[in-house]
Every structure is written in C-alpha cells, then in structure tokens.
Amino acid sequence: MAHVSFKSKEVDSVPRWSEYLTAEESSPSASASWRATSVDGPQASASGGQRHLQMEPVVQLSKVAEGLLAKMYRLNSILDYPDPNTHTFSDAFWKAGVMPNFPKICTTMSKKFPEHPNKLQLEKVDKFALDALNENAEGYMRNLEQWIMLLLDLLEFREQVLRIILDLSSTVITLLPHQNSLILHAFMDLICSFVRVNLFSDKIPRKMILQVYNILHIMLKGGRDCEFYHRLVQFVDSYDPPVKGLHEDLNFVSPRIGEVLEAVGPIIFLSTDTKKLRNEGFLSPFHPRYPDILTNSAHPMRAQDLANVTSYREWVLLGYLVCPDELLRVTSIDVAMVVLKENLVLPLFRDEYILLHENYQHYVLPKVLESKRMAKSGRTKQKESDMEYNIAKQVEKMLTEVHEQALVACDAIHHERRILLKQEVGRMVLFFTDQPSLLAPNIQMVFSALALAQCEVVWYFQHVGIASSKSTRGRTVDIDATDPTIGFILDGMGKLCCLVRKYIAAIKGMVALDLDATLKGLFQQVLHCLENIPKTQGENVPAITCDLTDLRKHWLSILMIVTSSRSSINIRHLEKATVSTGKEGLVSEGNAAYSWSRCVDELESQLSKHGSLKKLYFYHQHLTTVFRNTMFGPEGRPQHCCAWLGAACSFPECASAIIPEEVNKIGRDSISYVESLIESIMGGLEGLINILDAEGGFGSLEMQLSPEQAALRLNNATRVKAVPGLLAPGNESYPDNSLSVKMLEAAMQRLTSLCSVLNDMEPICVLNHVFVLREYMRDCIIGNFRRRFHNIIRTDNCLQRPSIIESLLRRHLSIIHLAEQHISMDLTEGIREVLLAESFTGLFSNLQVFDRPVETNGGGSAIEIICNWYIENIVRDASRTGVVFDATHNCFRSSQPIGGGYLAESFTDKRELKALVRLFGGYGIDRMDKMLKEHTSALLNCIDSALRSNRDALEGLAGSVNSGDRIERDANLKQIIDIETLADFCIQAGQAITFRELLVEAVGAVLEEKVPLIYSLLKGLTMQLPDEVPDKNEIIRLRRVASSVGVGDKHDAEWVHSILAEYNSANDNSWILLPYLCSAFMVSNMWSSAVYDVNTGGFSNNLHCLARCINAVVGGSEYTRIAKEQRMNSLSNGHTDELQETELLSRASAESNIKSAMQLYVKLSAGIVLDSWNDTSRPHIVPKLIFLDQLSVRSFTDGFRTNDPSPRQSPLISLAHASPSARPNRPDTTPRSHTFESGYHSSSGSQHDSGYEADRRTGERQLQSMRRSGPLDYGASRKVKFVEGSSSGNHGSGSLQRFAVSRSGPLSYK
C-alpha cells in the first residue's frame, strides 16, 4: 500500500491544490479576471526589473478554502456532528466506518493529546481492542487516509496563506476601500477564509484522527511514527482552540486589519441607518432632492459600496475576534458594537456556525482585560495610559452588555431593515418595469439592493431557533415565522433578477457605451482593449457580446505595480497627478471601469453573487415553515409563494464539485423541495377555491335559495326563539356583520393575485427538470373541479338533487371564471372536458355511427352513479320506500325519504329532470336511456319466457274464449304459472317506460329552451317521415332520435319496438298470445292491495304503470311482428335491398292492429272481471274497472289515434273470431257471459277500409301474409298450435341474470 508522502506534496503550491482548483474553476462564480492576472506576470516583473505582487495565488487559496470547508462539512456529517472538545461521540460516529469502533482506546488517545500513543499504556485501557487494531491495522489505516490528507492540506494551507498575507501586508501601500478596493477585497476575503477554515476545523476530531492513524502506522511500520506526525501534532496543538492559534498567527497583520475595519465603518453605519437610507434615496432610482430626475446621481459610490456591506460585516465579526487588540482603537468600539448588536451567530460554512458572543467572551474579553491591566500598571506614558485604560474599559463594558442587547434588539433591528428593503425593492420593480432603459445606469444600485436583501433573508433563516447557551438569563431570540416581509423580499428579489435577465442584452450594451476612454494614453494595452469595445449605432443598442477579461487583467497588473511599496511610481503619485484636474483620480477611475466592465461580460455572475439565495438550501426546513405561513397564514400573501420556488433554482450551486456524491444529493433534495412546494401551492390554490365555494363563502351570498332552504329560513324568522347558526335574510347587510364579507373579499384577492403570479411565473429549472407553474395551476383547478363534481353528487346516504348539483356547480364555475380573468389560458375548455368525460360512456345512439369503437378511457363515472341510483331507487324501488307514479303531477312519489334524504318527487319532477339534462347533456341522457333499455329488455325477456312456457295454457284460454266455455277459461287461467312474479316484472317495466317518458319530456323542454331551431327542425322532420313498415335504417334512426327528445307521438311503443329490434326479441308467434297473458293479470292477488288515489290519479301499488306497460309492449311487439313479416316477404320475393312499393304497409295499418289487440285485451279482461263477480271478489272489481277504464282511455284516445274508422283485421282478431270447422257438442255447465258475448260480436265484423277497397289485390296479399297459418278450428279435445319462428330460441338470457330467474325459480321454461 502506498502510504501518504508529505514531501511529494510540497514541491509546488499549484499542483498541490489541483484537486480543489480543477473542481472550483469549473464553477461560473469563479472570476476569469482573477484567474488570468498572472499570465503576463513574469513579463511585467521582468520589464520592471523587480518582483511585484501576483493576485492569482490569493484568489486560488480562497477557492482552496472553499474546498477544505466542503470536505470538513462532509466529514462532520458522516460522523454525525461530533463534539471533539467535550469528547462526545454518538453511536453513528463509531458506525460511520471512519474511525475504528473501539471507543475506549480512541477516546483515551484524543483526551491525552498531544502525548504520544506509546506512552499511554493502551493495553491497560482495552487489550482486546488493541489486538483487534493490530490485526486489521491496514484496513483501518486505509479508511483514515483521506482524512489524514485533509489534516495535511490544512497544515499546508495555513503556511501558504500566512506567507501571502505577510507579503501583501508588507508591500501594499494602502488597503483603504476608496483607494484600493480590488486588492483590499482579495486580501480580506483570504483572511476571512483562513479564519473560517481554522474555526471549522475545531468541529472535526483532529486529535483522534491523528493519534489513531499514527498508532496504526506504528503497528505496520515496526514502531516508526509517520513522517508528518510531529508537524501535525504541533499544528493541531497550536490551534487548540483555533482562536488561540489565530491570535498568534495574525498578530503581525493586526494593524492593517484594524485600519481596514475602521475604514469600512461609515458604510456599515449607513447600512444600519434605515431612516437615512430611505430619506436620502440611497436605494432609490430617483434623485432624493429632485424627484423629477429619473437617475439618482446623488450617491453613486456609496450606493456601490452598499453592495459590499455584507462582506464588511463579516470582516468586522471575524477581524475583531482574531485581532482583539484592534478593538482598542477609538472608532472601533462603535463599529464592533453595531455589528455585534445585530448578530447572535458567526456563520462559518453553509449552515455551520459558532455562537458569536460566547466566543467573544472567551477569547476577546480576556485580551481586553489584559490590556486594561497593563494600561493601569502605567507601562506607557500617563496620558496615553489613561486613554488606553478608558478605551479598554469602554470595550469591556460594551462586550459585557452587547450580548443582552443583541438578544433583545437584533430581531427588531432586522425587521425594520426588512421593511425598508420590502418598500425599496418593490419600488424598484415597479420603476424599472415601467422604465427598463434606466436599468443599465442604475445596475450598481440594483446590485446593492439585492445584496442587502440577500443578507437579510439569510440572516433570518440563520437565526431561526438559535439559543444562547451562555446567556445569563437563558433567553433565545424569537423569530416570527409569520413575518410577511420575507415573502415580500423574496418576491421582489425574484422579480428584480427577472428584470435584469430580461434586459440583459440592453444592459450590456449600455454599460459598454458608458465606458469613456478616459484611460486612453495611460497604457497601450488598456487603450487597445477599450478601442475594441463595440459601439452602438444611434439609439439601437445591440446585444453586445465582448470579452473584457483582458482589460481587467491588465488593469490588475497595473494596480499591483502601483500599489507596491517597491515600485518607483506608486498610487499616491498617480492620485496627486490626476486629482488636481478637478476630476476623479486615475486609480479611482480605473477601479470604476473595472467594476463596470464586469457588468458587460460577467453580469450573470454578478447577479448570482448578489441575488442568489442558494444558502437557503441548508435551511429548507425552516424555509418550508415560513412558506406555509405565507401560503396559509392569516397575514400571508399567497402571491409571494413563487419566490420560494425561484430560490430553489440556485440550490444545486451549493454542491461542491470536490465531493461528487454531494452533487447528486443536493440535486435530488432540490427537486424534491420544488415538488413539495408546488404541491403545497396547488393545495393552497385548491383551498382558496373551496373556501369561496363553501356555504360560508359564495354560498352565503346566493340570491336564490332552494324551496326547502327558503321555507326553513322563513319559518325560523317568524319564531320567537330562532335556531342558532341560521341567519335571517339580509343579515350580512348590517355593518356589524360585515366581517364575513371582508373575509370573502380577502379570499378573492388572494385567489386572483395567486393566479396572476402563477400565470406570469417563469419556468422553474432545477438541473434537468423544468416545472411550468401555469400547467400545474391548470391541472389543479381542473382536478379540483372534477373532485368537487364527484363530492356534490352524493350526500351522506343519498343522491343529491340535480337542481342543487347544478346550483353548486354554477357557483364553483363562477369562482373558476373569476380566476380565469387573471390567467392567459382557457379553463372553460378544461371544464367542458371534465363534464364531457363524466358524461361520455360511448357513442350517441342513432346519431354517431363509426366503424371503429371509441375508447372511453374509464370516463362517465358520474353519470354511472346517477343512472344506477335512478334505476335502483325509482324504477325498481330497491329501497322499498313506496315509489309510485303520480299521474296528476307527472312525477314519481314515495311514502318516505329515499336513503334518509329526499322524497322521490324531489328527483323526478320536471324541474329536477331538466337540471339533470343540463348537467349531463345528450351523452348522459343517452346513457340513462341505454341502461333503461337494458333493464326493460331483461323484463321483456321474462315476458317472452312466460309466453313460451305458458303457451299451451294461453292457447287453451284463446279457445275457451271463442267457445265461451267459462270453466275451461278458468282452468286455463289457473294453469298459467308465476303470474304474480310476471305481474311485478310488468309493473316494473311500466315504471321504466314511465320514467323514460318523463326524461324525454325534460329533454324536449331543455332543447326547446336552449336550441329552439334544432328542436323545431326535429319536430317538423317527424311530420314528413314516410309512413312505411318497416322503415329504412336512416328513417328508423331519425324516428328514434325524434322520440328521444319528445317529438312526435307513440313514444312508448316506438321505444319498446326499438328494444325488441335491438335485442332481437319477439321472434316467434307466441307474442300473438300477449293479450291473453296480460288478461290473466286480472286473477292476480295484486288487486287485493290495490287502492286508487284520486289525488295522484293512480294506484297505491303502481298498477297504472302496468297499463302503460301493456299498452307499450303490445304496440311494440306488433310493430316488430309486422316488420319481421315484411322482411320475410321481401326475402321470399327476392328483393334483398329494398321492398317493392306495392308491398309496403303503412304505419296506420299497424296501429289499427294494435288497437284491435287492445280491444281484445280490454274485452277479455272485462269478461274475466265481470264473470268473477261474487262476494269474495266484489271489493276488487272497482280497482279493476278503473284500471281498464284508464287503459282504454290511453289506448284508444291518446296512444294510437287513427283516421281509419274501421281497423284492418289482425291475426289477433282472427284468432278470436275465426269460425271453427267443427265445434264440440258439450253441455254448457256454466252460463256464458252475455257482456263479453255482445262485445265480441260487435267488434268482429270483417269490414275493410277505403285503402283495402281501392286495391283488393294488395289487400288480399296483406291479409294472406297476416294469416299465414290458415283457418283455425278449436275443438274440445285439442288446443290451438302455432308455428314458431326459427329464431324463437334467442331470449337474451344474459339480461335475465339480474332478476335471478332460472328453471327452478318462479318461472319455468319449456
């Protein structure tokens, strides 16, 4: 194994730091100007004949410091943040795989540092652990190798930094901000980096790493220490604690640091004086005394210096900590007190910090007290001694009191500063949005505002939850998480940065234009760079792309020469030679040119430096807390929420390239943070919409109440004791009750402002992920509408009334339309898509015919819920609430609420059904029609099965009717099986037909109201349809469409006909026996419970729906039979495409047959009723007669009106009246019913209509086709048989499964 070699690392500084510099120089924040300053260094020094300063090592070592801090931060997190000073190590520390898991030995060596491990008698501490160390020494050593290298890097870093600091402090003439700001910043940044690195090193177990590594080396190398052991021991011991070593190392440069800290004092004082900043317009684009002047030229240099005030504060905090003697300067007390009073922590790196005042108490105050004692002892002259003593006494008082002052006042100080920045940044955004052309000349002021805002935001999150452990009162600073100023500042910073990026090309052009060639003639290189800057043409400012790196490089080379004490021409000479002209000094002008040049080709890096909030990544937990208060708090501003997302864009920049796994981790965390924030923002948006949509929101302002709500409020208003919580009408109009209205206004304002901000938000780019807030907002609003739609469909145990659903949806849509006014997208289209998706389950019957099936993608869930509920609770009455049809009011009624909700009439009156039609449109109603068809088809299959299974009995019944044999008729009636079940199914079918009729009427009413032209077109079209049977396919479709919207007549029979045709039912001649089967219902037990209600115009058990079923089924089956026979005739005659004109039957003939069949049914039923008149059945005769009377009215007046006074004879009539060839000679044991007989003869005449007389040949053909079975005779010993069709076996058995009908059930099939 190749062990660490120290000698190979110290040949040259650049190769040693290549690991740190290669990674860091790929970062955009690393300035190319500084990196290139040494390119011509050797030439410059050679030409001058003397050695001058080089700035490249200064900048490089600052970058190395960042790498060292990143490595120590990584080690600290791996070791679970140990406390080496108290030797406190967690279980995770020992399990991390860095240190051997032998706590006793490792802790002992750390505590006994710097004693050599061989002198510690470790075998007495833990012999077993020592043996284990010896056995696995090589593996343990390999684990520690990279961290021992880190200690070596810290050692070498210290030596190189001290050498460069010594060189700079001894040769640079001046380091004052207004004279030599560029070199000053490089010098102080290096010192601060050096201090932070060494302060942070105290957080890692340096002693333990060194001691354990050395004992492992001793075990492997036969007792020899590692070659760098003693140097590292001396280094670690001298920096234990680190502040003590920094005091000694930086003692030589302390006066220069004190001089710098005094010089930056005025800028620090200005930054803390919010009143002066506001009144004199340091951060305002307006001139403070002349507001009409749109360019603030009052404080140009001071405004630029404010951009560096964050660095100045850090210099003060770190400078006086490591150079405590400089506090004894006269002006230093005020400078230190201002900065100390507004801080509690001293940030080191990322979210790592040390407690500020505790360290000042431990390391600075003793130095001050020592100076005080020395001054009191009179070691110097009396006058100077007294002054030094008084200053030391003042510093002592300040240090002892400032901690308590900071605990009390620091939050208030920064809160006041945040309010100032909120106002100034907001004013800047408005001004530069209106006057973007003034952004370029004021760009430095923009940077200053961004830098101050950045400082305040970072301070806020650094101090959340900070407690001072050494405070005499144990107090902590209270940071208000609900403070709205953070949201305002973040929002303003984001908008200001967006403005700069938006006009970045113009800013570059304007800045390049402002570079006056005042430096011409100074040096040829600088002149050449200035002449190569592109010039603008007229007023058009092109997107200038030029590289001014060479200009800055040459100026730095000049600056390093003239600021050196070894140079014959120094900065003071140049200032004296140029200030006398009345203009700025040459060096000041050059420094300004340097700063402005960075706004041309390094504007992005400058903007990132001053406006980036990447440090907030390490406080994203607190960031989320403050965000939630901004989003949901009572004082929050939801429109500021996007600023938190904007900050996340820079989070990946926190990753150090020197630690590869950190890049992935921070990237993943940033993406997760953005996703969670977007989820919270969308949750807030959804919450605002739902607040407005609640009953306490827009619901309290509704102008129209439902009848139930109105009645409840009116009853409550008339009571002496009103119901609590139920307000009287107009209550919100009173001034005392205006709070609720104000709350609504605030919620509306929040909603509209949030929508506006989300709409204008630029896409959030985090690594390779792009988040477009507008799309998230659209999905949120549409998704919330879909969820809201599903929620309002149902109440707790019941379906919501359609009119209330419509009202609630309209209220929700009004809120969406309110939001839509503030965004540039069409939400209405998305709402329509949702409504269509919830209604669409397939193509529209008879209107949309496509070859390929259309995918529904799981849509139509809402209409499925509605349809299933109506069929289960209205048509089938599954909940047994006594649902009956009220013919008087044309709706269904129930004796008790359905599911504990509303009565049936609340769902089925015309107003509710019209609301249902408006909600779900044509697709939804078509789905309802299809489900009613499926339900009715299954019931019709039961009728078909009953006809076939009871065929013998029905044929016998027909024969007994013709023979007038009452005994045989009664016997045949008793042979009909499951008559009760069949009657119940027919009543249910009648309910379905009735409900469908109500739905059709509602559809027609809505169409006539909304689209009267289409409705009138359909209405006129039905009057022009050809009167043919069967119709062509196109005519069938048109007729069914017209029937579905309530246009035309005979809707029930047409609908049953479409069901029989669609499901291929009624295929055999057994349907001719339908009137006989229906007449058998007269002997059913259902009449015993039938009570006629004059108020509803119907029976208590819905028997009036049975009449509708019989009417519709008889008519539909006749249409089906005639159409089938006509098709069979056409096929037998060879016409496959279309029927011959002479073979077409008019619909009037079918209607005549239907009327004849109904006459037969009525007469047969009346005969059964009247023949069974006895004492036991007498109470049931009245309901039966009322039933037959209602059916006759519907059948012969409303249902099938015809201009034909003499109906054409149908097979049903021929079956009842054909003369048999032989009648049985049997005695009449039972008297015949004279009532039936008289009616029988009155309707059996073989009359012919005018059409039949006009064309006897056609009539014969028609009659022949209708009476294909020939003359039928009925005898006593045999029953009539009919020829069944070939398709009589298809009965739709799949639909019967929902009724649980089987061969062993109530219906048996033969």
Side-chain angles (χ1 to χ4, degrees), residues 190-216:
L190 179 60
I191 290 179
C192 290
S193 297
F194 175 66
V195 173
R196 285 189 286 111
V197 166
N198 286 284
L199 289 177
F200 198 179
S201 67
D202 195 38
K203 291 179 176 289
I204 63 174
R206 298 170 297 168
K207 302 173 185 177
M208 185 181 296
I209 291 174
L210 179 57
Q211 294 286 69
V212 172
Y213 185 86
N214 189 58
I215 195 172
L216 292 172

Side-chain angles (χ1 to χ4, degrees), residues 33-48:
S33 305
W34 292 107
R35 296 198 299 267
T37 52
S38 66
V39 174
D40 294 337
Q43 289 85 346
S45 61
S47 61

